[in-house]
Amino acid sequence: MVKFVCDNYNEMSRLAADIMAGQITGKPFSVLGLPTGDTPIGAYMELAKKRLDFSGVSVFCLGEYYPINRKNNQSHYYQLFDGFINKINMKRENVHILNGETDNPDEECKRFDEKISHAGGMDMAVLGIGVNGHIGFNEPSQSLVLKTHLCDLTARTIEENSKFFGSDEVTPHKSLTMGMDAIFSAKRILLLANGNSKADAVSRIFSGAVTTSCPATMLNLHHDVTIIMDKEAAAKIQAE
Ligand code: PGA
């Protein structure tokens, strides 16, 4: 595991964009896993500014609220298009986002996993991290689910997400999420974390323990993980 501690959010975003740009120029037909949320907004802005050719790149978004209308400006569909895809020349048919409007979530999840395996897995998965250590929406639990699935969000995540929706009552209580299998299929993983609220979860990654009570600790078992943080998110990592 490689870690970078940056002075601030902008520096973290620029470094993440440089690493992602290196992936795309090195392999123009890269398959990426991408998150939404607050964390990657700056990296997407920096990456879009580079005016790279994304016409061969494919994307699988890590999750989607359920149920949610795609036109809802809090949907991951809306966020990924608005924050990134609309600014680059990626082909619409190469963007894969779980359908939060489906009435058959199991089928939707199965189809999504099939598309990822058909694409040969991901070359690079970019991840955020929840305050509770979730990755994608793989929430802390006694066991983690391998396949893409519909999950119940924890009270902590619902509370966090209410910053986007305005109140806990209207915040979705379920999500479709890429499972651990697809995330681990990525050849490289890039995790971004900024701010004090992430410091506990980040420190657990470096604690030396691997536990499903903090899904991000599982990343210790992957062979190619880079973590980029700002100083606040790194503040609780114990000196090695
Ligand atoms: P955030 O969410 O980027 O909005 O903090 C990260 C996550 O929950 O994975």
Side-chain angles (χ1 to χ4, degrees):
M1 190 173 283
V2 178
K3 73 170 189 287
F4 294 100
V5 180
C6 299
D7 276 341
N8 53 49
Y9 178 78
N10 291 341
E11 197 184 302
M12 177 195 85
S13 301
R14 280 194 295 273
L15 180 55
D18 287 347
I19 293 174
M20 290 164 77
Q23 172 65 42
I24 290 153
T25 47
K27 187 175 178 190
F29 289 86
S30 286
V31 180
L32 305 180
L34 293 183
T36 54
D38 279 344
T39 310
I41 290 172
Y44 292 155
M45 230 152 62
E46 294 293 333
L47 188 54
K49 274 199 247 166
K50 293 179 188 288
R51 302 263 160 235
L52 301 177
D53 180 11
F54 285 87
S55 60
V57 175
S58 305
V59 162
F60 289 89
C61 185
L62 289 172
E64 180 59 284
Y65 295 118
Y66 187 79
I68 198 162
N69 191 295
R70 285 184 162 184
K71 292 194 187 117
N72 185 322
N73 62 9
Q74 296 309 326
S75 74
H76 290 218
Y77 183 94
Y78 184 98
Q79 297 272 322
L80 195 64
F81 271 91
D82 190 55
F84 188 43
I85 308 290
N86 290 344
K87 301 183 170 128
I88 57 174
N89 71 334
M90 194 177 288
K91 291 186 184 145
R92 172 65 196 84
E93 65 266 30
N94 289 345
V95 181
H96 307 286
I97 302 176
L98 284 153
N99 180 5
E101 299 174 20
T102 182
D103 49 17
N104 191 342
D106 289 345
E107 184 56 35
E108 173 67 11
C109 291
K110 191 164 164 265
R111 208 176 48 85
F112 194 74
D113 277 336
E114 281 165 6
K115 281 201 275 184
I116 296 174
S117 30
H118 188 68
M122 296 177 287
D123 293 294
M124 175 183 272
V126 182
L127 309 175
I129 181 170
V131 292
N132 62 1
H134 73 206
I135 48 177
F137 279 119
N138 293 280
E139 296 279 48
S141 177
Q142 281 192 336
S143 62
L144 298 174
V145 180
L146 281 173
K147 298 295 175 196
T148 295
H149 60 285
L150 179 64
C151 67
D152 292 316
L153 299 175
T154 59
R156 183 111 191 259
T157 297
I158 294 166
E159 188 193 322
E160 272 300 301
N161 290 343
S162 65
K163 72 186 174 193
F164 301 122
F165 287 90
S167 81
D168 281 7
E169 287 75 51
V170 292
T171 306
H173 287 206
K174 288 181 187 284
S175 272
L176 302 164
T177 183
M178 201 182 273
M180 298 302 283
D181 194 24
I183 293 173
F184 268 69
S185 79
K187 295 186 183 73
R188 303 166 73 186
I189 293 179
L190 181 63
L191 183 139
L192 311 181
N194 68 287
N196 294 321
S197 67
K198 303 294 173 70
D200 284 326
V202 165
S203 73
R204 291 186 74 182
I205 300 177
F206 297 98
S207 69
V210 169
T211 167
T212 59
S213 69
C214 180
T217 61
M218 292 286 157
L219 297 177
N220 284 288
L221 303 175
H222 191 280
H223 62 281
D224 190 342
V225 177
T226 301
I227 302 192
I228 311 178
M229 316 156 256
D230 70 356
K231 281 198 275 204
E232 283 78 27
K236 295 189 177 168
I237 299 173
Q238 301 294 315
E240 280 149 58

